[in-house]
Amino acid sequence: MPASPADRPGQPRVNAATATIAKANADRANIDRSRVLGHYRTMARIRAFEEAADQALKDGHIKGAVHLSIGQEGVASGVCVNLDRGDFITSNHRGHGHTLAKGADMTAMMAELFARATGYCQGKGGSMHIADFQVGMLGANGVVGAGIPIAVGAAHAMKLAGDRRIVACFFGDGAINRGPFLEGLNWAKVFDLPVLFVCEDNGFAATTRTRAVTAGPGPGARAESLGVPCTPVDGNDVVAVDAVTADLVARVRGGGGPQFLHATTYRLRGHTAADAATYRPAAEVEERWGDDPIRRCRDLLALHGLSAAELDQVRADAVAEAAAAVADGLAAPHPDPSYAWTDVQDVDMAPAGGGR
């Protein structure tokens, strides 16, 4: 008998969490409608925020780069719904969805994109550096893979403190080819730290297909070579992501050591909001819009009795919330110029004549 794909060398092994996915598929005739509707709301808010940010960039209200996660909302919602408020997350440069799903305030996020004093970092951080320790968001990060050692360090602190909190670490498939990935997973496994690694595999490292620059069979096999069990999941299926994450979080919180979630997905926009993504065939992108996680979730809810009007209202509420965040952000003041000299490590860099 030929080996199944999961049994072939280098492929992620089938484990109990994989069986959870099968159970989730079997249970679609009897879903928790309230929980799935919650996912639909979360994903709609993420989409509305990023569409508003995209328009604000075009209108000249945002001066820095904006990296959109449109098409990847299912991973953020499916993972974060299983975390406690005190659990930590780290993110990457595409972190709006993770941050909103963990419970951050949309208005403060938009103000940060607009470099306003009411933003999360008082306008200093922009899109790629939003953090909110009150909800356990340790920060987005503009350096590929840099969130991994931060997550591992936080997880090690949790273990030393005897804390039950865990860390979920989001990164893209491009990060697996950087040193922090190998160093971070190795350290996490050596000390069996409470960290869930979440690889959002959208197939691209910036503008390059990741498979063109990746040796070997890929993210899951690489994690398992370091002793970290990998569970693959369809990242555009928010119900499956939710189910399998619940299982993995229970293992991590129970002292089972690090776990690796390999979520395949697709970003439907370019690397940045200003990137037309002409390196991808238009037909490929059009086909992947048919796999949009929000559309799939809407279809599932419609199948379970929610009307089009109810679902449209969820979308309308999210769009209105984002529009209000834009209005508040534009009305907020810019930070005082003297603030540029606070929160910096090099205390000797103050300009002549003061300013501190």
Side-chain angles (χ1 to χ4, degrees):
M1 176 183 294
S4 70
D7 292 330
R8 290 172 188 154
Q11 295 294 325
R13 64 182 173 82
V14 176
N15 57 27
T18 309
T20 305
I21 298 175
K23 184 176 184 304
N25 289 331
D27 286 348
R28 284 175 198 283
N30 187 33
I31 65 168
D32 181 340
R33 208 171 73 159
S34 175
R35 191 171 179 92
V36 177
L37 182 57
H39 282 307
Y40 188 66
R41 286 198 184 95
T42 298
M43 293 192 293
R45 291 181 71 234
I46 296 170
R47 181 71 58 90
F49 177 89
E50 294 208 314
E51 289 174 342
D54 183 34
Q55 186 59 51
L57 183 74
K58 292 183 173 68
D59 293 340
H61 299 311
I62 299 175
K63 305 304 179 186
V66 174
H67 298 76
L68 303 176
S69 65
I70 289 177
Q72 302 183 187
E73 297 90 345
V75 184
S77 185
V79 169
C80 288
V81 76
N82 289 287
L83 301 176
D84 295 338
R85 183 179 175 87
D87 289 332
F88 295 118
I89 66 169
T90 61
S91 183
N92 51 24
H93 49 277
R94 207 177 304 285
H96 303 147
H98 311 142
T99 309
L100 282 169
K102 192 63 173 67
D105 178 72
M106 183 185 289
T107 301
M109 286 178 59
M110 193 66 79
E112 185 59 39
L113 268 60
F114 292 168
R116 304 301 171 124
T118 55
Y120 265 117
C121 305
Q122 289 77 50
K124 283 185 175 180
S127 170
M128 289 188 283
H129 301 98
I130 295 174
D132 182 0
F133 291 0
Q134 292 188 351
V135 299
M137 196 335 182
L138 295 178
N141 201 306
V143 179
V144 175
I148 296 174
I150 295 172
V152 171
H156 207 149
M158 293 302 99
K159 182 163 184 173
L160 290 173
D163 201 310
R164 288 192 71 256
R165 288 181 291 179
I166 70 168
V167 185
C169 172
F170 292 95
F171 53 90
D173 42 318
I176 72 167
N177 290 326
R178 293 187 59 85
F181 175 86
L182 299 172
E183 183 179 1
L185 268 68
N186 181 70
W187 190 271
K189 183 56 187 173
V190 166
F191 293 98
D192 272 335
L193 302 180
V195 55
L196 173 63
F197 297 103
V198 182
C199 178
E200 290 178 296
D201 188 347
N202 62 29
F204 283 87
T207 59
T208 303
R209 289 196 190 274
T210 307
R211 64 172 181 262
V213 292
T214 301
R222 199 167 289 185
E224 295 210 316
S225 74
L226 294 164
V228 181
C230 170
T231 301
V233 70
D234 177 355
N236 285 10
D237 182 346
V238 70
V239 175
V241 176
D242 182 349
V244 74
T245 302
D247 183 84
L248 296 178
V249 165
R251 293 174 184 217
V252 173
R253 203 184 299 282
Q259 297 283 329
F260 189 94
L261 180 64
H262 181 206
T264 49
T265 183
Y266 193 86
R267 64 171 156 77
L268 293 164
R269 297 288 304 274
H271 174 55
T272 70
D275 172 16
T278 55
Y279 46 85
R280 301 190 302 198
E284 173 184 309
V285 179
E286 182 64 26
E287 179 184 355
R288 296 310 299 261
W289 271 105
D291 193 40
D292 178 3
I294 297 180
R295 175 177 173 175
R296 287 173 63 174
C297 187
R298 180 185 174 101
D299 290 347
L300 181 62
L301 287 167
L303 190 65
H304 284 270
L306 267 78
S307 69
E310 290 174 293
L311 296 167
D312 287 346
Q313 188 60 52
V314 172
R315 163 72 176 169
D317 290 345
V319 170
E321 182 184 6
V326 169
D328 286 350
L330 291 176
H334 286 286
D336 188 281
S338 65
Y339 191 69
W341 300 100
T342 64
D343 302 327
V344 294
Q345 290 180 302
D346 196 336
V347 295
D348 295 326
M349 291 298 290
R356 287 176 58 83

